[in-house]
């Protein structure tokens, strides 16, 4: 893939994420996609990625904004930086109580591309900053 095609693929991923269109997100992934979860484990496979997305939609409503995508010249790797704007809907185990708090958090994501699909997704964000925002919300 070219760098431009990879940028379009990553943009389509975030567009589907923002629409909460899980089938469209999954269609952009390889069957053996590797998902590195921020401050969590690593999962492999499209079914595991779907389980993660469905679990997350019960706890959070999020939208990625101000997206910037960077790619290698050969299109095999990419990085994205954006601000995730969200609402904490339901208390997730080990985290502060949810009362509908809103947050805006910088996120960095890294991708490996194979065969025109996303083969790895790694997300990084500052969990203490998220917690600070959640705890400060009225």
């Amino acid at each position: 893939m070219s760098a431009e095609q990879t940028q379009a693929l990553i943009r389509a991923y975030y567009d589907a994420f923002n629409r909460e269109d899980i089938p469209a997100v999954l269609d952009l992934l390889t069957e053996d996609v590797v998902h590195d979860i921020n401050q969590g484990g690593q999962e492999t496979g499209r079914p595991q990625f779907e389980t993660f997305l469905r679990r997350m939609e019960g706890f959070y409503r999020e939208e990625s904004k101000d997206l910037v995508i960077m790619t290698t010249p050969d299109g095999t790797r990419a990085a994205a930086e954006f601000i995730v704007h969200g609402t904490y809907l339901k208390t997730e185990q080990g985290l502060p109580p949810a009362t509908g708090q809103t947050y805006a958090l910088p996120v960095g994501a890294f991708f490996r591309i194979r065969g025109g699909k996303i083969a790895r997704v790694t997300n990084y964000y500052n969990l203490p900053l998220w917690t600070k925002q959640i705890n400060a919300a009225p």
Side-chain angles (χ1 to χ4, degrees), residues 25-106:
V25 170
L26 296 173
D27 192 48
L28 300 171
L29 308 176
T30 61
E31 285 294 329
D32 62 346
V33 64
V34 174
H35 182 209
D36 295 309
I37 302 166
N38 186 71
Q39 296 183 330
Q42 183 181 76
E43 298 177 343
T44 301
R46 197 184 294 171
Q48 289 78 1
F49 202 95
E50 179 177 10
T51 298
F52 174 83
L53 290 175
R54 296 212 182 272
R55 183 178 63 80
M56 295 301 288
E57 76 179 353
F59 294 103
Y60 311 92
R61 185 179 318 111
E62 296 184 328
E63 183 178 5
S64 300
K65 296 182 180 181
D66 303 320
L67 178 66
V68 176
I69 303 167
M70 299 150 276
T71 64
T72 57
D74 65 2
T76 60
R77 293 173 59 185
E81 182 180 26
F82 56 92
I83 306 295
V84 65
H85 294 261
T87 304
Y88 188 30
L89 303 171
K90 178 180 155 189
T91 302
E92 188 169 6
Q93 183 178 2
L95 296 176
T99 60
Q101 305 97 311
T102 59
Y103 53 91
L105 194 65

Side-chain angles (χ1 to χ4, degrees), residues 5-22:
Q5 289 169 316
T6 294
Q7 284 191 4
L9 175 65
I10 302 305
R11 189 162 307 284
Y13 173 85
Y14 285 106
D15 287 346
F17 175 84
N18 285 344
R19 292 191 316 270
E20 298 179 352
D21 186 346
I22 291 175

